[in-house]
Amino acid sequence: MKEQLMARTFVELADSLVADFDLIDFLRLLTDRCVDLLDASAAGVLLADRDGVLRVMAASDERVRLLELFQLQNHEGPCLDCFHTGNAVTVHDLRNEAARWPLFAAQAQRSGFNAVQALPMRLRDEVVGALNLFHATPAPLSPAAAPFAQALADVATISVLQQRTTERNTLLNEQLQTALSSRVLIEQAKGKLAERRHTDMEQAFTTLRAYARSHNRRLSDVARAFIDETEFLPGLSPRSP
């Protein structure tokens, strides 16, 4: 039941509030749970780096990752507006937004999305990113789902900021920069594994993530070891050493 999954989701997210947690894996869990609980077709997370530039940090599938990148490259879209204003942006039908976001609206529809909800990841007056929900069907979004979606975004924001001290901004920038570097490693590992196994990027990510969890390791560490081939990874490495 969804109620049970909701409760388990908050436990899972709270369980990540430790000194050393894997931010990329945490944010991917967030996007997956948004799809499961909020009837979204896909979800993505954008976070700002140390220079205030938004980066794609997590996506529930490859379509939305590419669409988020498209927004950033073309400097338009609901997720950017959400981040810059600090307010939620809800669009029931992207077919009516051609004048507002001509490039994004067309690309989103080509990707199979016709409605979007962008939620600020904000702590008080500081906005660190946006949680974005994409829907295939053009229709009003459930009013009951909106508070829960914002609650998930708020928990994620606290998790991103939870290691702060009196020098919070410095620590946050370092954490986000580390996460960005980890993201590059993971993307490289995804590509290498997908090519090796003749599979898609999404399946490659699922395989890497499952390995990291089953071996109680950070996803970024597994990705680095796989790329560099510095150790044998059972089930990932091509053969025994």
Side-chain angles (χ1 to χ4, degrees):
M1 296 176 60
K2 278 196 174 183
E3 291 78 6
Q4 294 174 331
L5 183 56
M6 287 180 184
R8 190 165 74 248
T9 295
F10 278 109
V11 171
E12 288 175 321
L13 295 180
D15 188 53
S16 296
L17 297 176
V18 294
D20 183 25
F21 76 102
D22 192 324
L23 181 59
I24 298 297
D25 192 43
F26 171 84
L27 294 175
R28 177 55 188 261
L29 172 66
L30 174 66
T31 61
D32 289 346
R33 288 293 183 264
C34 284
V35 173
D36 295 336
L37 291 168
L38 301 173
D39 296 323
S41 302
V45 174
L46 301 177
L47 288 182
D49 65 13
R50 66 180 60 178
D51 298 316
V53 178
L54 282 175
R55 307 289 185 182
V56 180
M57 298 303 296
S60 61
D61 64 39
E62 192 68 8
R63 289 180 307 156
V64 79
R65 186 184 75 85
L66 294 175
L67 182 58
E68 297 278 43
L69 286 172
F70 184 88
Q71 281 194 89
L72 299 179
Q73 292 166 353
N74 291 279
H75 309 291
E76 68 166 54
C79 308
L80 275 71
D81 289 358
C82 172
F83 172 73
H84 291 305
T85 65
N87 298 315
V89 176
T90 300
V91 179
H92 298 158
D93 192 340
L94 281 166
R95 293 174 299 186
N96 301 325
E97 303 297 334
R100 187 178 184 185
W101 305 304
L103 297 175
F104 171 81
Q107 184 64 29
Q109 291 172 74
R110 284 193 291 269
S111 300
F113 303 121
N114 289 286
V116 62
Q117 185 175 31
L119 303 163
M121 294 177 64
R122 180 181 61 217
L123 181 65
R124 301 183 181 88
D125 295 328
E126 182 175 7
V127 183
V128 300
L131 170 63
N132 313 304
L133 310 177
F134 297 88
H135 301 261
T137 304
L141 305 177
S142 169
F148 181 68
Q150 187 60 63
L152 290 175
D154 292 343
V155 170
T157 303
I158 293 170
S159 297
V160 170
L161 297 171
Q162 59 87 29
Q163 294 184 15
R164 67 185 182 173
T165 62
T166 53
E167 298 179 322
R168 175 178 60 83
N169 288 333
T170 299
L171 291 178
L172 172 62
N173 288 338
E174 290 175 354
Q175 183 188 38
L176 294 183
Q177 203 62 37
T178 298
L180 287 169
S181 299
S182 296
R183 183 74 203 178
V184 171
L185 280 173
I186 293 165
E187 289 299 319
Q188 290 174 345
K190 280 168 54 180
K192 182 175 180 178
L193 185 60
E195 182 180 11
R196 175 173 290 173
R197 294 194 169 184
H198 305 290
T199 187
D200 59 34
M201 297 284 279
E202 187 63 23
Q203 183 58 49
F205 177 85
T206 299
T207 301
L208 289 167
R209 186 190 194 190
Y211 183 94
R213 289 190 168 192
S214 65
H215 290 78
N216 196 29
R217 297 183 60 175
R218 292 171 62 89
L219 181 58
S220 56
D221 291 340
V222 171
R224 181 180 291 105
F226 179 71
I227 293 169
D228 296 341
E229 299 184 349
T230 53
E231 62 179 284
F232 176 66
L233 304 174
L236 297 181
S237 299
R239 58 184 178 275
S240 300

